[in-house]
Amino acid sequence: MALGDLMASRFSQSSAAVSNHLDECSSHDNGDFGAHRRDSETLSSSYGNVGTSATTSMAYLPQTVVLSELRHDAFESCMPSGPSDSGLVSRWRPKDRMKTGCVALVLCLNIGVDPPDVIKISPCARMECWIDPFSLSTKALETIGKTLTMQYERWQPRQARYKIQLDPTVEEVKKLCNSCRKYAKSERVLFHYNGHGVPKPTANGEIWLFNKSYTQYIPLPISDLDSWLKTPSIYVFDCSAAGMIVNSFIELQECNASSSTTSSRDCILLAACEAHETLPQSSEFPADVFTSCLTTPIKMALRWFCMRSLLRDSLDYALIDKIPGDQTKRRTLLGELNWIFTAVTDTIAWNVLPHGLFQRLFRQDLLVASLFRNFLLAERIMRSANCSPVSYPLLPPTHQHHMWDAWDMAAEICLSQLPLLVRDPNAEYQPIPFFTEQLTAFEVWLDHGSEHKKPPEQLPIVLQVLLSQCHRFRALVLLGRFLDMGPWAVDLALSVGIFPYVLKLLQTTNPELRQILVFIWTKILALDKSCQVDLVKDGGHTYFIRFLDSMEAYPEQRAMAAFVLAVIVDGHRRGQEACLEAGLVHVCLRHLQGSALNDAQTEPLFLQWLCLCLGKLWEDFMEAQIIAFQADAPSICMPLLSEPQPEVRASAVFALGTLLDVGFDSCRDGGVDEECDDDEKFKAEISVLKSLLYVVSDGSPLVRAEVAVALARFAFGHNKYLKSIAAAYWKPQSSSLSSFPSFAHVKATAANPSQYIGPLLRVGTDTPAVSRDIRVSTSSPLSASGIMHGSPLSDESSQHSYSGNLHDSHSTSNGVISNNHSRHRAPLDNALYSQCVLAMCTLAKDPSPRIANLGRRVLSIIGIEQVVAKPIKSSRPGEPNFVGLARSSSWFDMSGGHLPLTFRTPPVSPPRTTGFLTGMRRVCSLEFRPHVPSSPDSGLADPLLGAVGSSERSFLPQSTIYNWSCGRFSKPLLNVPDDIEEILARREEREKFALYHISECQHTFRKLSNQPSWDTKFDTATKTALLHPFSPLVIAADENERIRVWNYEEANLLNSFDNHDFPDKGISKLCLVNELDDSLLLAASCDGNIRIWKDYTRTGKEKLVTAFSSIQGHRPGVRSVNAVVDWQQQSGYLYASGEISSIMVWDLEKEQHVNSISSSSDCSISALSASQVHGGQFAAGFVDGSVRLFDIRTPEMLVRTMRPHAPKVERVVEINFQPGLDQGKIVSACQAGDIQFLDIRNEKGAYVSIDAHRGSLTALAVHRHAPVIASGSAKHLIKVLSLEGEPLGSIRYYPTFMAQKIGSVSCLTFHPYRVLLAAGFADGCVSIYADGNSQAR
């Protein structure tokens, strides 16, 4: 299967495995809301009896899994880094590319005269450069010199100057060396010395030359030679005892290294043998066997192999010189042999040498690389003659590497068909299967290898195979599979030298290679961003733009092309310019526009990377932003803000945010002449800004983080206007607080969200003991003693421009609002500035710590600083002591008038210690005139007013969506995760456990024991508790929102952590998300904030997966939200309500608010319960005692309204569905103490009514499967009842000697699959009660 098809199939498998929702069955006109997607039952419109034969036990086991994407993996705890251009990636690039500029050949043969220290055997090796000097009558030495030059030129033709000296003197060698260095300049010089006609080198490292009359041998110290050639240089010494020279050179290097005056020298030495060895004299070798191996390796290797193979008697050695073809043409026999030899020697070196040494010797210089490949052959051949070639730097032994066997097989196949090819020039040679076999070996490794095993030794061969068209596609596919294994694999491939090959392949037009090349470049750029420079330099960006614009490729592959282009333009101005010229903006916008017009669902990954690519192209690049506005880019991107995937929404916010001009104020200071030119830009910015405000309360922290970053850019560009607006809000008026605005919930359509402003204000309760200080000066809302009526933030005037106070002449002493500015209008409408400040404060108190931090940074840009303070005790009984504002309230929330605060402006002079909190600092640039505080002890810290410098651009928070998204491509894309089988096995085991215990508790339950099997105690009252379905764990939270996890079988505390740092009034609900898989802990606070935790059972290792505010907006005059929340695994929906007039439905897979269902009542909802069997169905209890059943699968939503608790009009404490598959039976309990058993098909109301607790009912629990319920009261009593209302027992006392009564019951909960009851009490106790059978066992 081609990698492109493989990728597509893997992506679809991955999507199927991760996606937990089917397509919506239908959609209704009231918002972007789909009907229930996971229910296997047919909904009866009349809610008649449901036949049990149509249902199965699987209705009890929801298959939905949510919040398991990459974005949920420690969003709060780590910052993504994105592609890097340093660190790991710095190793693969050769630091300095070099070439050998000059080659000096020195031959000391003195033909006919043997040196005095050599005794030759007979017959003796006589060939020099494959020439017998005694076979030539004249000019034998010159012929050998020219032949050696030609042999060297094969390895570096036309790039180096070759100079030769034959039997020279010392002066001639000195002149040669100096001229070579002068010509080569900073390039490498190669010095080749053949000393077969002179004595061996001396122990001091001296080589021998001649005097002018050839009567004496003259020594030349290696130190002199080194001083003439300087560095960089490479030496080849072909003589006996050549190791002497290497040893002396090493001593010289060490001596130089110890001297601080000389720097390290780049010198390489190749010597024919050790210091104590003599060159082989056997006639089967040439006399210069070392030189022959270095310069004619194929001929030398074949002759040596032939002498040792079965072909030695049948093959004429002369045929080796007649191998057809050209060494540089791989389609010929000689070219293929040379190609195989290169692959073999490269593979040996890469597997044996350290990577740094391999890069230096085999990738830095072409001639040096060729010599070292051939040196490996020399070691193999000469060791067979008891000679050991030496090098500096020293190489480990390679002569017995098993890759030589592969070479021998290739040589044998070549030689066996050589006689036929020589006899018949028209005969076709059979290609050697070397590369095919090696690719197969590589494929086998891919099937079984991993990061923790030995790397594949065939990687250099894969690189060589890329040079061949016939093997290229398969090699690229296998290379893609290897790169997909992780960054370590990409680094290995780059270190072996793959980069220039895949860069050059971008010039090919073969359509078959496009998909795999895009995949390979995706993997490379996910590791190393620095490759962007190479791509732009070679014009590679156009390759990816064409691929992005093609319709033949899969959307996932085009998403990869968009990723590559995004990396190319990321922080690289030349890349931005090149892609802009190539029309990238229009290509991306055209595909985004096409996705909006296309009815079919576009691949989210493609949309995501189109947006990210555009954002990176527009980022800080004015020319691209102008083209974007001209192409109406904002209106094209805005519909993506309603996409179901948070990554797409966040990417769209990122793209839109980069269109906001950070340097807006500076460009506006130019004068009035620019106003007309900026009108279109103003309109576009307004459109962008409104679209960003639409998603400021998005359910995904990923999206809200991008909104915060975008608003920071806007705040920086419009700094003085936002500061002016903030100052105007708080101009001195009356001491009373005016009413504050709250954005009414407006449901924007996906088609044009910019027309509306979404819900912005997160609502919380006010706790006097816990506070947050917001300190500002005149540019902040706290700079005056009151709030101005009719300010842009008030409900009455939020839709109108407020200009009177903003542009008063002579308004401030600092000149931020001055006469000069009063002549010009503000660039945007003041009401929009007001909404922006409101959005910033909304983000500053976000339930996600990271988003809240970003929000505070945004506020600080416009001069509002929030300082977090720990809870403090009240200074006087009955009077709250405030450090600043209550944690759950922004300075907008004080509109209700329920905080007894007055605001004052402090003196300009430094404040006295009395009346001021320490540690405060000046944060803003506006000053008001001194104003004497009317009440020094009002409890609010005095804001210090002063001037600071303008915000620094470096202070702007950075976007994270791009780096988060890049992380996807550095992970494996083609293979199913290794732990998928383990996950499925665990799931199957839990399903069996659940089904067994469901059956058991349905049929064997008798009664509940009145003695707890386990108990513990909190410091404060227990608010809610939860029993884990598959582990002996109880999870409970107290009123300070501290969550504790116990193992009740081993009676030990596993973990304890705070839900957040500033608790209000406790947690209203704990429930498990994905309970059949790796469960997550959902903690819903009373203020409506939802936080979901993973690893909550590991001590100190808990991680926040996501957090959002489930309630937006509340009834006027209401102090607290009193949120009620329930989670429905079947549908993936979270239902939330409270002191609001609707029930908000959140899709946790999409992390998106999908609908608001009207509660159809003027009263607030006090209890909420979602059916765990029938997805989409939930019941609500109200404070007036009424009960309503809703079903989101029906067009009307509201199914039935009942008043079972009449004539009593008291709050419904708890409501729940009865166990079983019947979707119409409910149990409702009100505060008056009566419990009603309801059947919605019964027009008469409750079919069983019990007055369980008179006026004191506080808790109710209904078992999910067993026919049992439990109710608790404030009067120290728990009653256990059957579904028919029959009493099954009661619990009154703790199991102590004194028979102490239990505390006031605050919460009750049953185990999902066993009959265990957990009870929490107002005195902090948590107890677990088991059924009689369990206790007996």
Side-chain angles (χ1 to χ4, degrees):
M1 179 186 289
L3 189 64
D5 299 327
L6 180 63
M7 285 160 45
S9 64
R10 294 299 189 194
F11 267 110
S12 61
Q13 289 177 20
S14 174
S15 300
V18 175
S19 176
N20 302 297
H21 295 281
L22 300 174
D23 294 334
E24 279 109 354
C25 299
S26 61
S27 59
H28 306 298
D29 294 334
N30 52 346
D32 177 20
F33 184 74
H36 172 58
R37 299 155 295 180
R38 276 276 189 255
D39 198 359
S40 60
E41 300 172 316
T42 302
L43 184 66
S44 172
S45 60
S46 61
Y47 272 73
N49 292 325
V50 178
T52 56
S53 60
T55 59
T56 66
S57 58
M58 294 306 292
Y60 295 124
L61 306 175
Q63 305 300 306
T64 308
V65 179
V66 299
L67 304 177
S68 58
E69 300 283 354
L70 176 66
R71 65 182 181 270
H72 302 120
D73 188 15
F75 172 80
E76 297 289 341
S77 60
C78 66
M79 285 293 290
S81 59
S84 174
D85 50 11
S86 61
L88 171 70
V89 302
S90 64
R91 298 184 302 174
W92 68 267
R93 283 186 185 270
K95 293 182 179 179
D96 297 304
R97 277 286 192 187
M98 296 189 66
K99 70 175 182 177
T100 301
C102 199
V103 178
L105 305 177
V106 176
L107 302 182
C108 297
L109 297 181
N110 199 13
I111 297 172
V113 179
D114 293 335
D117 59 348
V118 174
I119 301 175
K120 292 189 176 181
I121 62 173
S122 182
C124 181
R126 300 168 63 176
M127 306 278 283
E128 298 282 351
C129 294
W130 303 103
I131 297 173
D132 184 352
F134 297 101
S135 64
L136 301 177
S137 56
T138 57
K139 297 186 178 181
L141 186 59
E142 290 82 354
T143 304
I144 293 171
K146 289 180 181 179
T147 304
L148 181 61
T149 301
M150 292 170 58
Q151 290 176 179
Y152 266 111
E153 283 178 340
R154 291 175 185 168
W155 303 107
Q156 192 162 352
R158 300 183 305 278
Q159 292 186 4
R161 175 174 292 187
Y162 293 85
K163 298 185 178 183
I164 189 166
Q165 285 289 344
L166 306 175
D167 292 347
T169 64
V170 173
E171 285 302 317
E172 290 171 335
V173 170
K174 180 179 181 181
K175 183 179 179 181
L176 171 69
C177 292
N178 288 332
S179 65
C180 284
R181 174 47 61 197
K182 182 178 180 181
Y183 176 80
K185 298 180 181 177
S186 61
E187 295 177 346
R188 198 186 304 275
V189 174
L190 186 148
F191 181 85
H192 179 101
Y193 173 77
N194 182 325
H196 296 171
V198 294
K200 299 175 183 178
T202 66
N204 295 327
E206 299 165 313
I207 59 173
W208 295 98
L209 303 174
F210 301 95
N211 62 357
K212 290 185 178 180
S213 59
Y214 297 99
T215 58
Q216 287 184 326
Y217 300 111
I218 306 300
L220 172 62
I222 186 66
S223 57
D224 290 353
L225 189 61
D226 181 56
S227 66
W228 298 336
L229 285 176
K230 299 184 174 63
T231 185
S233 55
I234 178 172
Y235 300 87
V236 178
F237 296 105
D238 188 354
C239 59
S240 295
M244 288 281 195
I245 307 171
V246 177
N247 294 338
S248 299
F249 185 85
I250 293 174
E251 292 177 5
L252 177 66
Q253 288 289 88
E254 291 174 350
C255 180
N256 290 338
S258 63
S259 173
S260 59
T261 58
T262 58
S263 58
S264 59
R265 302 170 68 84
D266 181 9
C267 295
I268 299 171
L269 281 76
L270 299 176
C273 57
E274 295 274 11
H276 61 280
E277 294 174 346
T278 304
L279 292 178
Q281 299 184 21
S282 172
S283 58
E284 64 179 7
F285 294 109
D288 63 345
V289 58
F290 185 62
T291 298
S292 297
C293 288
L294 295 182
T295 57
T296 57
I298 303 301
K299 183 175 182 177
M300 190 68 225
L302 291 178
R303 289 177 67 92
W304 183 78
F305 171 76
C306 197
M307 289 186 293
R308 280 156 179 75
S309 73
L310 299 176
L311 300 173
R312 62 178 179 272
D313 298 327
S314 59
L315 186 69
D316 182 3
Y317 289 1
L319 292 177
I320 295 176
D321 295 327
K322 299 178 182 180
I323 296 177
D326 188 334
Q327 191 166 307
T328 59
K329 296 180 180 179
R330 289 181 292 275
R331 294 188 176 223
T332 63
L333 181 56
L334 182 59
E336 186 172 32
L337 274 175
N338 183 64
W339 186 25
I340 294 172
F341 178 80
T342 301
V344 168
T345 49
D346 252 15
T347 301
I348 293 173
W350 187 73
N351 282 284
V352 172
L353 270 59
H355 282 188
L357 188 58
F358 175 81
Q359 290 285 341
R360 179 188 172 195
L361 301 181
F362 286 82
R363 293 294 180 262
Q364 198 175 47
D365 186 322
L366 290 176
L367 184 57
V368 172
S370 299
L371 289 177
F372 267 93
R373 289 190 193 101
N374 303 343
F375 178 79
L376 301 184
L377 174 69
E379 184 193 12
R380 185 189 191 205
I381 291 177
M382 296 186 70
R383 277 184 179 267
S384 68
N386 297 318
C387 252
S388 300
V390 183
S391 69
Y392 176 82
L394 182 66
L395 301 187
T398 60
H399 60 288
Q400 292 182 328
H401 197 279
H402 63 87
M403 281 303 296
W404 287 118
D405 297 333
W407 164 252
D408 289 343
M409 177 175 286
E412 185 172 3
I413 293 173
C414 168
L415 294 175
S416 63
Q417 56 181 321
L418 185 57
L420 175 62
L421 296 174
V422 173
R423 284 197 310 268
D424 183 5
N426 296 323
E428 290 188 9
Y429 83 97
Q430 297 299 318
I432 303 171
F434 171 81
F435 289 108
T436 302
E437 293 168 352
Q438 293 299 318
L439 286 179
T440 301
F442 183 49
E443 191 170 7
V444 171
W445 187 94
L446 290 175
D447 291 336
H448 304 284
S450 70
E451 179 181 5
H452 308 293
K453 295 183 180 180
K454 183 181 177 182
E457 62 183 21
Q458 297 84 11
L459 207 52
I461 298 174
V462 175
L463 181 147
Q464 290 293 325
V465 172
L466 295 180
L467 300 171
S468 169
Q469 284 190 346
C470 60
H471 299 296
R472 184 176 294 159
F473 179 72
R474 183 187 179 198
L476 285 173
V477 171
L478 295 178
L479 177 62
R481 286 182 57 191
F482 177 68
L483 299 181
D484 191 55
M485 300 182 81
W488 64 273
V490 180
D491 184 54
L492 275 181
L494 291 173
S495 68
V496 84
I498 213 82
F499 182 77
Y501 290 78
V502 293
L503 183 62
K504 191 173 182 180
L505 283 175
L506 294 179
Q507 300 172 9
T508 64
T509 57
N510 186 352
E512 187 183 33
L513 303 181
R514 292 191 310 164
Q515 296 176 358
I516 180 57
L517 278 175
V518 169
F519 181 82
I520 287 173
W521 273 103
T522 296
K523 287 298 178 178
I524 292 174
L525 288 175
L527 174 75
D528 189 354
K529 172 185 170 183
S530 69
C531 299
Q532 62 185 181
V533 178
D534 306 85
L535 282 169
V536 175
K537 183 179 178 181
D538 283 29
H541 60 285
T542 59
Y543 185 91
F544 297 101
I545 293 176
R546 288 195 303 270
F547 185 88
L548 178 66
D549 203 23
S550 67
M551 301 302 294
E552 294 81 12
Y554 293 107
E556 297 90 350
Q557 296 160 346
R558 291 158 66 201
M560 293 180 190
F563 162 75
V564 171
L565 291 165
V567 177
I568 288 175
V569 300
D570 180 21
H572 184 213
R573 180 48 55 88
R574 183 67 196 96
Q576 288 177 312
E577 293 170 350
C579 289
L580 185 64
E581 292 170 7
L584 179 58
V585 171
H586 299 290
V587 170
C588 291
L589 290 178
R590 184 164 62 250
H591 288 292
L592 285 177
Q593 212 165 12
S595 70
L597 299 175
N598 188 6
D599 293 336
Q601 175 68 42
T602 305
E603 171 59 41
L605 188 67
F606 185 42
L607 297 177
Q608 175 185 346
W609 275 104
L610 285 174
C611 292
L612 292 174
C613 183
L614 286 172
K616 283 296 176 182
L617 179 58
W618 296 334
E619 195 172 36
D620 302 327
F621 187 27
M622 184 60 67
E623 289 84 352
Q625 293 172 12
I626 292 172
I627 291 178
F629 286 126
Q630 291 172 350
D632 199 18
S635 65
I636 295 174
C637 293
M638 285 174 194
L640 299 176
L641 299 177
S642 298
E643 283 291 309
Q645 295 77 20
E647 294 90 347
V648 177
R649 302 198 300 272
S651 301
V653 172
F654 168 71
L656 291 168
T658 56
L659 291 175
L660 296 175
D661 185 8
V662 176
F664 189 91
D665 274 346
S666 62
C667 73
R668 290 289 303 158
D669 291 339
V672 184
D673 296 338
E674 296 182 6
E675 278 196 19
C676 297
D677 298 334
D678 287 341
D679 282 344
E680 293 301 320
K681 192 171 188 304
F682 293 159
K683 293 178 182 177
E685 280 205 335
I686 291 173
S687 177
V688 169
L689 201 56
K690 287 183 177 180
S691 66
L692 294 178
L693 296 177
Y694 170 74
V695 289
V696 77
S697 293
D698 192 274
S700 171
L702 205 60
V703 180
R704 300 198 304 275
E706 296 307 311
V707 175
V709 172
L711 287 178
R713 291 176 62 89
F714 176 77
F716 194 95
H718 296 249
N719 190 275
K720 65 173 177 282
Y721 300 105
L722 288 166
K723 284 184 176 181
S724 302
I725 288 287
Y729 296 160
W730 299 89
K731 290 189 72 173
Q733 299 288 335
S734 63
S735 58
S736 62
L737 295 175
S738 66
S739 63
F740 274 79
S742 62
F743 280 91
H745 177 65
V746 179
K747 186 60 184 176
T749 62
N752 191 4
S754 64
Q755 296 177 357
Y756 305 95
I757 302 299
L760 296 178
L761 186 60
R762 302 184 192 281
V763 181
T765 56
D766 302 303
T767 303
V770 184
S771 56
R772 170 181 293 172
D773 185 13
I774 304 181
R775 296 178 305 209
V776 294
S777 65
T778 62
S779 62
S780 85
L782 299 186
S783 61
S785 60
I787 304 169
M788 179 179 56
H789 288 284
S791 73
L793 272 186
S794 68
D795 286 329
E796 296 81 10
S797 62
S798 62
Q799 301 303 318
H800 307 286
S801 174
Y802 172 76
S803 58
N805 287 319
L806 177 60
H807 296 300
D808 285 346
S809 60
H810 315 292
S811 58
T812 67
S813 59
N814 273 0
V816 176
I817 309 175
S818 64
N819 268 334
N820 290 335
H821 289 289
S822 67
R823 291 193 304 237
H824 307 306
R825 63 180 175 84
L828 303 181
D829 187 83
N830 289 337
L832 193 57
Y833 282 130
S834 305
Q835 295 159 359
C836 290
V837 176
L838 177 59
M840 293 171 189
C841 287
T842 299
L843 292 168
K845 57 172 192 170
D846 196 275
S848 164
R850 177 174 290 183
I851 310 303
N853 180 57
L854 287 173
R856 288 192 291 270
R857 289 181 63 182
V858 177
L859 285 177
S860 68
I861 293 176
I862 63 170
I864 302 172
E865 184 170 350
Q866 296 190 351
V867 181
V868 173
K870 291 295 183 183
I872 57 175
K873 295 182 179 179
S874 178
S875 57
R876 288 193 292 265
E879 180 177 337
N881 186 350
F882 292 91
V883 176
L885 293 177
R887 185 218 68 83
S888 60
S889 299
S890 74
W891 46 276
F892 294 103
D893 286 329
M894 296 158 52
S895 58
H898 52 271
L899 293 180
L901 301 179
T902 58
F903 300 94
R904 61 181 185 270
T905 306
V908 175
S909 58
R912 300 185 305 274
T913 305
T914 306
F916 293 90
L917 292 178
T918 60
M920 302 186 72
R921 61 181 183 275
R922 299 173 185 267
V923 294
C924 292
S925 58
L926 293 177
E927 281 189 0
F928 284 92
R929 289 186 295 275
H931 175 74
V932 179
S934 58
S935 174
D937 298 321
S938 64
L940 181 69
D942 290 281
L944 300 185
L945 309 181
V948 298
S950 60
S951 300
E952 304 252 345
R953 185 189 179 94
S954 59
F955 183 75
L956 284 175
Q958 297 301 309
S959 167
T960 57
I961 179 61
Y962 172 73
N963 288 342
W964 270 114
S965 303
C966 289
R968 176 191 181 101
F969 292 117
S970 62
K971 300 182 184 310
L973 300 175
L974 302 178
N975 297 321
V976 177
D978 296 334
D979 58 348
I980 189 67
E981 292 184 3
E982 179 184 345
I983 293 173
L984 293 175
R986 182 172 63 247
R987 167 91 186 196
E988 183 179 359
E989 179 183 350
R990 289 186 170 184
E991 286 181 350
K992 290 180 179 178
F993 174 93
L995 291 174
Y996 171 78
H997 283 87
I998 287 173
S999 174
E1000 188 177 53
C1001 68
Q1002 284 176 339
H1003 300 100
T1004 62
F1005 171 71
R1006 290 182 298 182
K1007 63 176 296 185
L1008 203 67
S1009 172
N1010 60 4
Q1011 296 296 322
S1013 58
W1014 175 90
D1015 57 12
T1016 189
K1017 190 168 185 178
F1018 270 117
D1019 296 332
T1020 56
T1022 307
K1023 288 285 289 185
T1024 182
L1026 173 70
L1027 288 168
H1028 194 282
F1030 303 107
S1031 301
L1033 304 178
V1034 60
I1035 307 161
D1038 64 10
E1039 61 185 12
N1040 291 329
E1041 299 202 37
R1042 183 146 192 93
I1043 300 172
R1044 290 180 172 87
V1045 184
W1046 289 276
N1047 183 314
Y1048 53 80
E1049 286 187 354
E1050 299 178 1
N1052 62 328
L1053 180 66
L1054 298 181
N1055 196 16
S1056 177
F1057 61 94
D1058 291 317
N1059 189 38
H1060 59 105
D1061 293 334
F1062 299 93
D1064 286 325
K1065 292 184 178 179
I1067 293 176
S1068 65
K1069 183 81 170 182
L1070 285 177
C1071 48
L1072 292 183
V1073 178
N1074 305 336
E1075 69 175 31
L1076 289 169
D1077 301 275
D1078 287 332
S1079 60
L1080 307 172
L1081 180 64
L1082 186 151
S1085 300
C1086 293
D1087 60 1
N1089 287 337
I1090 305 296
R1091 295 173 179 85
I1092 300 179
W1093 300 86
K1094 66 183 294 187
D1095 299 331
Y1096 53 89
T1097 61
R1098 300 173 59 190
T1099 306
K1101 303 292 185 181
E1102 67 282 346
K1103 296 176 183 176
L1104 187 61
V1105 172
T1106 188
F1108 64 96
S1109 177
S1110 64
I1111 305 292
Q1112 274 123 31
H1114 58 89
R1115 299 175 188 272
V1118 174
R1119 290 190 53 183
S1120 61
V1121 177
N1122 294 326
V1124 286
V1125 172
D1126 204 9
W1127 159 246
Q1128 191 173 62
Q1129 188 76 44
Q1130 286 276 10
S1131 62
Y1133 288 152
L1134 179 86
Y1135 305 96
S1137 190
E1139 299 291 344
I1140 58 176
S1141 58
S1142 61
I1143 301 149
M1144 309 196 79
V1145 185
W1146 294 83
D1147 188 321
L1148 286 199
E1149 175 61 20
K1150 298 176 180 178
E1151 295 185 66
Q1152 193 174 34
H1153 174 232
V1154 291
N1155 203 7
S1156 291
I1157 303 172
S1158 173
S1159 63
S1160 303
S1161 173
D1162 295 333
C1163 299
S1164 301
I1165 295 177
S1166 58
L1168 201 60
S1169 176
S1171 171
Q1172 298 304 317
V1173 177
H1174 305 288
Q1177 192 179 60
F1178 65 95
F1182 292 76
V1183 295
D1184 63 353
S1186 62
V1187 171
R1188 286 172 175 83
L1189 180 68
F1190 297 88
D1191 197 316
I1192 61 176
R1193 300 168 295 181
T1194 63
E1196 299 81 11
M1197 305 284 184
L1198 178 62
V1199 176
R1200 184 75 187 278
T1201 300
M1202 305 180 75
R1203 297 186 177 274
H1205 302 286
K1208 301 172 184 174
V1209 184
E1210 294 208 28
R1211 161 176 91 88
V1212 175
V1213 173
E1214 189 64 66
I1215 191 170
N1216 219 320
F1217 286 85
Q1218 295 187 24
L1221 300 176
D1222 197 329
Q1223 54 187 341
K1225 291 190 174 182
I1226 300 171
V1227 180
S1228 175
C1230 82
Q1231 192 171 359
D1234 63 308
I1235 302 174
Q1236 306 293 335
F1237 293 78
L1238 310 175
D1239 189 333
I1240 62 168
R1241 295 161 298 191
N1242 187 350
E1243 296 291 339
K1244 297 180 180 179
Y1247 64 89
V1248 176
S1249 180
I1250 301 173
D1251 194 6
H1253 307 276
R1254 295 185 179 179
S1256 60
L1257 191 143
T1258 56
L1260 175 76
V1262 180
H1263 199 284
R1264 194 184 298 179
H1265 303 287
V1268 59
I1269 68 170
S1271 63
S1273 76
K1275 298 179 179 178
H1276 320 286
L1277 174 65
I1278 297 174
K1279 287 187 177 181
V1280 183
L1281 308 169
S1282 71
L1283 293 181
E1284 288 74 31
E1286 297 176 359
L1288 299 178
S1290 61
I1291 301 168
R1292 294 178 180 271
Y1293 303 100
Y1294 289 126
T1296 60
F1297 177 75
M1298 298 299 294
Q1300 179 183 352
K1301 281 189 175 183
I1302 61 174
S1304 175
V1305 181
S1306 57
C1307 62
L1308 293 171
T1309 183
F1310 278 105
H1311 189 284
Y1313 305 118
R1314 298 170 59 191
V1315 184
L1316 293 176
L1317 176 66
F1321 304 96
D1323 60 2
C1325 283
V1326 180
S1327 301
I1328 297 178
Y1329 301 88
D1331 68 325
N1333 295 334
S1334 298
Q1335 289 243 327
R1337 288 194 295 267

